[in-house]
Amino acid sequence: METAIKHSGIDMEKSLRETIIETADRLFYQHGIHAVGINRLIEESGVSKDSFYRNFRSKESLIEAYVRARHEAAMRNFFKVVALHDAPRDQISAIFSDLADRVQRHGFRGCAFIMMLAEYSDVPSLATLAREHKEKLRTEIEAICSRFSDRSAHTARILCVLYEGYLARATVTRTPDDRKALLETVESIIRN
């Protein structure tokens, strides 16, 4: 019986932690990290101050957890999109089609990692997390490119610059012409 209670307490704490991270994800992305205080996070998470600090020793530790959760979600989505296709060129096309679809969603404000860096570039641990995310994306794209290109590193670098450029442009404008230009450019890179 004691084990079940203890296990239940662990699950409850994990659930509270996830609730706080999910709330931070929504608020940080929508309003910016600096604009969202601990009290608002606590209030909108529906947790007590003690529960918050039991899960996160500081706002910076919550930001780290938020960035890690964003990375994990982004990579899960990446692998899900890639898994839908067998041919590597089709996988690359799908990655960019997915990107073009995601920026059209209501509430898109840009790349969460770049937004975080704009506010916290002076915090080495957070800058490292953002760089690691971007590098992971590049290495995965390079691995796919290696299946059809003898210049996979070069091709992946070009594709990543295009990916990041489209994210930046889509923050300002999301036109059908931009989407078409993105997808046509990707096709010209991977089909030649």
Side-chain angles (χ1 to χ4, degrees), residues 29 103 108-111 115 165-174:
Y29 188 74
V103 303
F108 176 79
R109 296 189 62 233
C111 174
M115 290 168 53
Y166 188 74
L167 273 173
R169 178 145 177 93
T171 303
V172 179
T173 180
R174 289 169 276 221

Side-chain angles (χ1 to χ4, degrees), residues 24-31 66 70 107-110 112 115:
D25 182 71
R26 179 177 49 82
L27 293 174
F28 289 169
Y29 188 74
Q30 187 175 46
H31 302 289
Y66 154 72
R70 271 273 170 169
F108 176 79
R109 296 189 62 233
M115 290 168 53

Side-chain angles (χ1 to χ4, degrees), residues 110-170:
C111 174
F113 300 95
I114 299 301
M115 290 168 53
M116 181 274 300
L117 276 177
E119 294 188 65
Y120 285 91
S121 62
D122 59 335
V123 180
S125 63
L126 296 176
T128 297
L129 288 173
R131 273 193 306 276
E132 287 173 352
H133 170 73
K134 299 298 184 179
E135 183 60 16
K136 176 68 172 168
L137 182 64
R138 188 198 62 73
T139 59
E140 293 298 334
I141 289 174
E142 184 176 341
I144 296 168
C145 290
S146 72
R147 295 174 42 217
F148 67 83
S149 172
D150 56 357
R151 298 181 64 207
S152 59
H154 179 72
T155 303
R157 193 157 307 280
I158 290 170
L159 289 170
C160 286
V161 168
L162 185 61
Y163 190 98
E164 297 299 328
Y166 188 74
L167 273 173
R169 178 145 177 93

